[in-house]
Amino acid sequence: MAGSEKTVVWFRRDLRIDDNPALAAATKDGSVLPLFIWCPADYGEYYPGRCSRWWLKQSLAHLGKSMESLGCPLVLIRAEDSTLAALLECVRSVGATRVVYNRLYDPISLMHDDKIKNELSALGISVQSFNGDLLYEPWEVYDENGLAFTTFDMYWEKCMNLTIEISQYLAPVKLVPVPGAGNLRGCSIDDLGLESSKDEESSNALLSRAWSPGWRNAENMFEEFVSYGLLEYSRQGMKVGGTTTSLLSPYLHFGELSIRKVYRHVKLQQINWENEGKSEAEESVRLFLRSIGFREYSRYLCFNFPFTHERSLLGNLKHYPWRLDEDRFKSWRQGMTGYPLVDAGMRELWATGWIHNRIRVIVSSFAVKFLQIPWIWGMKYFWDVLLDADLESDILGWQYISGSLPDGHELSRLDSPEVLGQKYDPDGEYVRTWIPELARMPTEWIHCPWDARSSILEVAGVELGFNYPKPIVELHMARECLDDAISTMWQLDTAAKLAELDGEVVEDNMNNIRVFDIPKVVLKMELSPSTSSLDQKVLFTNGKNKDLHPKEVKAPYKQVIQDGDTGSTANSHVTRKRSSSDSAFNVPSCSSSLIMHSQIHDPDSCSVLYSSYLQEKEDRSGVGKVEDNDSEDSGASATFFP
């Protein structure tokens, strides 16, 4: 019956009014209950860090004011048990007939959403989900064989040849609140417990000076970037100090800014510049849209390969001999490695929750290559401290940089922090800003104080090993250890494959010994006659949903690596081919490849058969030269999209 619907709009990482598909659908018919539920228990070891929670609090306050102006206050609920229990209570309290929300694509959210959808559907509640986060759904993009892509360039090329829907959902001008909404036991934004009084008085006060969360502020930031920053995007990206990136990543993570709107406006601006003859704009637009593409690919990768938050995509790297060195990990976190550019980046990260995307690449590469710290430790630390912490993007970035993806950097690549410092911080101003101990060091020695004469160090007030550390590991030793680790990995991998052959070693088998094991996911299958493309798609896991929850990760994040099933180590770029000295590169047809299938039933979510992944979880109780290439580094830095 027209106008009879009582719809709960479940807000999550879509904290905006404009171009919000779920909100737009709810306003078409009947009354609306805007709802946000904060349930710390649902996050497990991926509980958001201090800076991320500060942003969420400010964004919710901003959204609440907007909803109030539309005549429909945002209801906030802190759930102690589960989001599902709180949502069910709200539905029953107001007699809601429908729940709508925008989809999330990380494996943790997928499992929660599947459970919630099943419970609500069993009670006769209509449940609809929408795409409010991506240009392309993860199940829509596949190769000529119907398989999911495992390299970015091929994925993005296919995307660019697909039709894209960039029409915008208009913001509502008035909402009708659900009768009885005032009787709900909601809470104030302070009662959500997103920040402590100590946080408010100290560190978080500094964040408000630099950032303005909220969907209207996001639109203002984006318009300013398009008008004044986009044209110089390709050139400014070489600078690690100051505002040289779009700074849009936290707004995009919390859904304060529509990705469709970003894409549409950038393309329109590109057309305007072409008409004005500004040819220099082409490269900036290409690089920025490529960054958008990496964000899309991060969701694509996590959705189709739901194990990538806990282990490498390349199966061979489960044999990589990581160093579980807590002291080195602590030195890296504190910015006390003795390499100025790395230390400056880590100190800025701790102080502000933010670092330039190129610095993210440099510090993460140092962690996994020089220190051989497991990439999962680094990824989890980024999740804990980044203002724009985004699980999917961080997974993609760390897997690229660690060499855990087919198109990542070679395992043997090792970049010198000294060379990178001279390139990206030639005057040393960035280092001096964040390492006051080196403020008086001459520019010539700012990135290599260990090479300076004692008289120079004395004048600069630097005493290596006392007020600034000596290098935690020498470059030549890092290269030697990296080479040994790679050799060990291949020996263990080869031994494991030979064991699988039961001693029957023939030439054809040997050809598949040293290849990267790349899992396959079938996205396109022939649908049965009884299956309509308009039916509801539900995550299908053969009743083993619990196995998809990640292993518990505690500082210093040891538990994730207990079975040696983590990823690799390297510095990353998207289009770089691996050196033949490392291994042959191809998609093997041998049984070591993980094969999964996706069955599409409707546009509401995607039905993915994770049985191979679940079974696998049950069964598990060359010194390279210093490389320096702008085109390759641009690919790596784009995986961390600020």
Side-chain angles (χ1 to χ4, degrees):
M1 183 180 297
S4 61
E5 289 278 16
K6 295 181 179 180
T7 303
V8 173
V9 181
W10 179 25
F11 282 95
R12 300 186 294 172
R13 296 205 301 266
D14 52 347
L15 306 180
R16 66 181 184 271
I17 303 297
D18 189 45
D19 196 22
N20 188 318
L23 180 61
T27 60
K28 290 181 179 178
D29 183 26
S31 54
V32 175
L33 174 66
L35 177 67
F36 179 86
I37 300 172
W38 174 249
C39 182
D42 281 350
Y43 290 95
E45 75 272 17
Y46 288 100
Y47 183 74
R50 173 184 61 83
C51 293
S52 183
R53 284 183 279 112
W54 171 83
W55 190 290
L56 175 60
K57 181 179 179 181
Q58 310 308 311
S59 185
L60 285 171
H62 187 96
L63 178 66
K65 292 178 181 178
S66 298
M67 299 304 298
E68 191 79 40
S69 67
L70 295 175
C72 201
L74 176 66
V75 176
L76 304 174
I77 291 180
R78 179 183 173 93
E80 299 300 334
D81 297 326
S82 69
T83 297
L84 173 59
L87 187 56
L88 285 172
E89 182 179 350
C90 289
V91 167
R92 290 168 176 150
S93 296
V94 300
T97 56
R98 182 171 60 152
V99 174
V100 297
Y101 59 90
N102 292 311
R103 289 188 280 272
L104 298 176
Y105 302 91
D106 64 275
I108 301 169
S109 296
L110 283 170
M111 297 308 305
H112 290 161
D113 293 356
D114 178 47
K115 184 176 182 180
I116 288 172
K117 174 179 284 188
N118 290 337
E119 289 282 346
L120 292 175
S121 298
L123 295 174
I125 306 298
S126 172
V127 183
Q128 289 179 281
S129 64
F130 301 86
N131 176 16
D133 189 52
L134 294 174
L135 299 173
Y136 308 93
E137 293 283 21
W139 53 85
E140 294 176 344
V141 187
Y142 43 81
D143 65 16
E144 64 275 8
N145 297 316
L147 299 176
F149 289 104
T150 54
T151 59
F152 172 75
D153 278 346
M154 296 180 67
Y155 163 81
W156 192 235
E157 181 181 0
K158 180 64 178 289
C159 288
M160 292 295 93
N161 291 321
L162 294 176
T163 302
I164 181 172
E165 176 58 54
I166 57 175
S167 59
Q168 185 173 344
Y169 294 90
L170 297 177
V173 294
K174 192 69 176 177
L175 296 175
V176 178
V178 167
N183 298 326
L184 286 173
R185 292 182 294 177
C187 67
S188 69
I189 195 165
D190 289 329
D191 290 337
L192 287 178
L194 294 172
E195 60 180 349
S196 66
S197 57
K198 182 179 179 181
D199 290 336
E200 291 183 75
E201 295 171 0
S202 55
S203 305
N204 288 358
L206 300 176
L207 294 175
S208 60
R209 300 179 186 178
W211 298 93
S212 299
W215 70 275
R216 290 192 184 277
N217 296 323
E219 294 190 344
N220 293 336
M221 177 72 78
F222 174 60
E223 291 173 3
E224 181 178 346
F225 169 70
V226 171
S227 299
Y228 304 107
L230 180 58
L231 188 61
E232 300 293 321
Y233 186 75
S234 60
R235 287 194 297 174
Q236 293 287 355
M238 294 290 290
K239 302 176 182 179
V240 297
T243 305
T244 59
T245 64
S246 70
L247 305 180
L248 296 177
S249 55
Y251 297 104
L252 288 169
H253 170 74
F254 287 102
E256 298 167 324
L257 187 62
S258 162
I259 198 67
R260 285 187 295 265
K261 184 173 185 176
V262 169
Y263 184 88
R264 180 177 60 251
H265 282 216
V266 169
K267 294 297 287 186
L268 289 175
Q269 185 66 278
Q270 181 183 26
I271 294 172
N272 292 336
W273 282 335
E274 288 176 353
N275 293 336
E276 295 171 3
K278 295 181 178 179
S279 57
E280 69 273 18
E282 181 179 353
E283 180 65 8
S284 288
V285 170
R286 185 190 71 82
L287 287 176
F288 181 75
L289 291 181
R290 188 175 175 85
S291 296
I292 294 294
F294 275 106
R295 182 181 181 275
E296 295 276 313
Y297 188 55
S298 72
R299 273 73 176 153
Y300 180 86
L301 198 71
C302 285
F303 182 85
N304 290 310
F305 303 95
F307 54 84
T308 49
H309 64 296
E310 63 180 12
R311 59 187 174 91
S312 167
L313 182 71
L314 296 176
N316 317 73
L317 296 168
K318 63 187 175 183
H319 301 294
Y320 192 90
W322 296 106
R323 293 189 56 152
L324 311 185
D325 193 321
E326 298 179 24
D327 291 334
R328 286 190 170 194
F329 185 46
K330 181 179 180 180
S331 296
W332 176 74
R333 296 196 318 267
Q334 294 180 339
M336 295 293 287
T337 69
Y339 286 91
L341 187 63
V342 174
D343 292 342
M346 295 306 294
R347 294 185 191 189
E348 182 189 17
L349 174 60
W350 176 252
T352 69
W354 176 268
I355 46 176
H356 189 284
N357 51 5
R358 197 169 298 279
I359 293 295
R360 299 186 193 201
V361 170
I362 291 169
V363 300
S364 54
S365 175
F366 186 88
V368 296
K369 287 307 197 67
F370 271 71
L371 306 182
Q372 295 185 3
I373 292 170
W375 66 265
I376 292 182
W377 286 19
M379 181 196 73
K380 184 60 173 60
Y381 182 69
F382 268 28
W383 174 259
D384 288 340
V385 299
L386 278 172
L387 182 73
D388 61 338
D390 184 273
L391 183 57
E392 297 98 317
S393 294
D394 288 343
I395 289 171
L396 176 63
W398 280 91
Q399 289 236 15
Y400 262 122
I401 287 162
S402 66
S404 299
L405 298 180
D407 52 354
H409 277 177
E410 301 103 324
L411 293 174
S412 60
R413 174 166 178 168
L414 189 72
D415 288 331
S416 166
E418 177 186 348
V419 173
L420 294 174
Q422 293 167 351
K423 178 178 181 180
Y424 297 118
D425 185 32
D427 299 327
E429 291 307 310
Y430 178 73
V431 167
R432 292 188 182 93
T433 298
W434 294 105
I435 307 182
E437 307 97 295
L438 302 180
R440 292 189 289 167
M441 279 295 294
T443 300
E444 181 181 359
W445 311 106
I446 190 71
H447 294 293
C448 53
W450 54 85
D451 285 337
R453 297 191 303 272
S454 58
S455 58
I456 294 175
L457 292 173
E458 184 177 355
V459 170
V462 176
E463 185 176 350
L464 295 179
F466 180 70
N467 62 352
Y468 185 70
K470 296 178 180 180
I472 192 170
V473 58
E474 298 288 348
L475 178 60
H476 71 279
M477 286 301 299
R479 288 182 174 181
E480 183 177 329
C481 292
L482 179 61
D483 192 44
D484 290 344
I486 294 171
S487 177
T488 299
M489 182 200 78
W490 283 118
Q491 290 174 15
L492 294 173
D493 185 68
T494 299
K497 288 179 178 177
L498 289 175
E500 291 178 1
L501 297 175
D502 294 326
E504 297 184 15
V505 181
V506 296
E507 184 175 356
D508 288 343
N509 289 336
M510 291 302 296
N511 290 335
N512 282 330
I513 291 296
R514 269 208 170 189
V515 296
F516 283 109
D517 294 338
I518 308 173
K520 299 177 182 179
V521 172
V522 180
L523 292 183
K524 185 180 181 182
M525 305 176 61
E526 183 178 353
L527 298 177
S528 65
S530 61
T531 302
S532 167
S533 62
L534 297 179
D535 291 338
Q536 192 172 42
K537 283 181 294 193
V538 180
L539 187 67
F540 174 65
T541 58
N542 282 353
K544 300 178 182 179
N545 291 356
K546 65 181 184 301
D547 292 330
L548 269 177
H549 288 296
K551 300 175 184 175
E552 185 178 6
V553 183
K554 298 179 181 178
Y557 318 128
K558 271 189 174 180
Q559 284 78 356
V560 224
I561 19 175
Q562 58 190 359
D563 293 324
D565 58 354
T566 56
S568 149
T569 26
N571 202 331
S572 102
H573 165 54
V574 142
T575 57
R576 186 172 182 87
K577 295 182 179 178
R578 294 182 178 271
S579 164
S580 59
S581 64
D582 280 344
S583 71
F585 175 79
N586 71 311
V587 179
S589 58
C590 58
S591 60
S592 58
S593 297
L594 175 62
I595 301 178
M596 298 182 288
H597 302 275
S598 170
Q599 299 171 333
I600 299 180
H601 297 301
D602 78 282
D604 209 42
S605 94
C606 189
S607 162
V608 180
L609 182 63
Y610 292 137
S611 56
S612 296
Y613 167 56
L614 297 172
Q615 185 61 47
E616 184 182 21
K617 289 198 72 174
E618 290 177 352
D619 295 340
R620 297 197 312 268
S621 340
V623 180
K625 67 181 189 315
V626 175
E627 303 189 34
D628 189 28
N629 186 302
D630 283 344
S631 63
E632 294 175 3
D633 288 342
S634 67
S637 62
T639 62
F640 294 116
F641 173 62

